[in-house]
Amino acid sequence: MRDVAIIGIGQTEVGEHWGVSLRHLALGAVQAAMADAGVMNADALYVGNMLSGELEGQEHLGALVADFAGLRGIEAFKIEAACGSGAAALRMGYIAVAGGLADIVVVVGVEKMTDTLGPDTTAALASAADADHEAAHGASFVTINALLMRRYMHEYGYSHQAFAPFAVNAHRNAVHNPHAMFRFPVTAEKFAQARMISDPINLLDSSPICDGAAAVVIAPAGQAQNHSVTPVHVAASAVGTDTVAVHDRRNPLVLEGALLSTRRAYNQAGVGPSDIDLFELHDAFSIMATLSLEAAGFAKRGEGLRLAQDGGIGIDGTIP
């Protein structure tokens, strides 16, 4: 196994890009990442995407994006793992480079979600739930997360307002991010006044529907300095899974897939939660931020909210 490094990055602005196609979004990120890495060609391209078939009527993104980016002929696939599709594509690229099967790999995550009506987008997103036992009964991701939030509040004695620091922190981060969709601050008072989506989840508990793409170029760490003066070395890469249906889980308030993957990654890198100084998580809803902090070992069960309330997730906090 070879050590792996990221040698280039690229990203589009996140927003409602009605005049930009799926392939153009991917192209923008790929070209930016390859320019940043100073490479003209690649051995493989992996595209992370969940909804292109359902919302855009377009599958076979690997070959499509490779061709459109001027990389025709290389190995190229679409990788799908629901909301983790981009990370899953990076995992495949990591395996290819670490295993010696490729030297230069481009990975791009892309979604285009705003061209369809809200109910159609919601139904497409629900296809990542258990089709027979959740989606078929009308459960959407927002309703499933609302049930989890309600259970968390019941188990640990929190009010809904206790989740406000997650929205406040996310918007505070976005103010200075040129790629962010909503670059304005919100307050705890605004959180309390936000309209309800699926009780207890309100608008500011929820991530928006949007379009965007991000890409990286990865290479063997031994070759990284040939392409970048500041390569980012990948210390570990690990995956864990849980049941898809929430009712099949041993504890619905434990993200066992995240727990397993972070434990494996910590072991690979020889570090623990206290050694981490930046945590990027999937927070489609604020309850997921809470459960992710706990699954990754930054807070005990039932204390993820307290970490946010105490400022621990802020830029100057213990785990930004």
Side-chain angles (χ1 to χ4, degrees), residues 213-230:
V216 296
V217 180
I218 57 177
Q223 302 175 23
Q225 292 293 345
N226 298 333
H227 303 281
S228 173
V229 295
T230 56

Side-chain angles (χ1 to χ4, degrees), residues 6-305:
I6 297 170
I7 60 171
I9 61 172
Q11 185 179 352
T12 70
E13 291 185 10
V14 177
E16 298 181 357
H17 297 295
W18 294 326
V20 183
S21 70
L22 180 75
R23 71 183 73 190
H24 279 94
L25 285 171
L27 176 68
V30 167
Q31 288 181 330
M34 292 182 69
D36 190 39
V39 299
M40 298 292 292
N41 297 294
D43 302 311
L45 168 75
Y46 299 108
V47 182
N49 175 274
M50 174 187 169
L51 296 171
S52 66
E54 291 85 349
L55 299 184
E56 294 292 305
Q58 178 68 67
E59 292 288 13
H60 209 180
L61 289 191
L64 183 80
V65 175
D67 176 30
F68 202 58
L71 299 172
R72 185 183 302 179
I74 69 170
E75 174 180 317
F77 302 110
K78 170 183 170 177
I79 309 296
E80 186 277 319
C83 306
S85 295
L90 179 57
R91 169 70 173 176
M92 294 299 100
Y94 171 85
I95 290 172
V97 174
L101 300 176
D103 287 331
I104 301 294
V105 173
V106 178
V107 180
V108 58
V110 59
E111 291 289 351
K112 186 160 178 60
M113 305 171 69
T114 65
D115 286 357
T116 49
L117 297 175
D120 296 330
T121 307
T122 298
L125 286 165
S127 67
D130 188 307
D132 291 332
H133 301 294
E134 291 178 327
H137 299 280
S140 66
F141 271 150
V142 65
T143 60
I144 291 171
N145 278 271
L147 290 170
L148 291 175
M149 181 183 278
R150 178 65 68 190
R151 186 65 191 180
Y152 191 93
M153 292 162 58
H154 170 76
E155 290 282 347
Y156 301 115
Y158 290 104
S159 68
H160 174 250
Q161 187 63 19
F163 289 86
F166 290 110
V168 172
N169 185 67
H171 277 261
R172 184 187 300 121
N173 290 339
V175 167
H176 303 294
N177 181 352
H179 299 300
M181 186 172 184
F182 298 128
R183 298 182 60 191
F184 55 82
V186 300
T187 63
E189 291 72 27
K190 287 289 186 182
F191 177 86
Q193 297 165 6
R195 67 181 176 89
M196 196 59 64
I197 303 297
S198 181
D199 194 10
I201 287 177
N202 72 16
L203 185 66
L204 289 178
D205 282 307
S206 314
S207 61
I209 297 299
C210 52
D211 310 325
V216 296
V217 180
I218 57 177
Q223 302 175 23
Q225 292 293 345
N226 298 333
H227 303 281
S228 173
V229 295
T230 56
V232 176
H233 293 267
V234 180
S237 173
V239 175
T241 57
D242 199 356
T243 68
V244 174
V246 173
H247 64 258
D248 285 333
R249 298 180 182 180
R250 284 179 285 194
N251 184 337
L253 297 182
V254 175
L255 301 180
E256 191 158 337
L259 186 151
L260 290 170
S261 65
T262 50
R263 281 183 180 174
R264 292 165 184 167
Y266 289 149
N267 287 336
Q268 287 178 29
V271 301
S274 62
D275 298 305
I276 307 301
D277 56 18
L278 179 67
F279 183 46
E280 184 172 1
L281 51 81
H282 174 63
D283 57 349
F285 302 97
S286 54
I287 182 61
M288 283 295 109
T290 310
L291 298 182
S292 295
L293 286 167
E294 295 173 13
F298 300 117
K300 296 179 180 178
R301 292 184 190 178
E303 296 184 5
L305 279 184

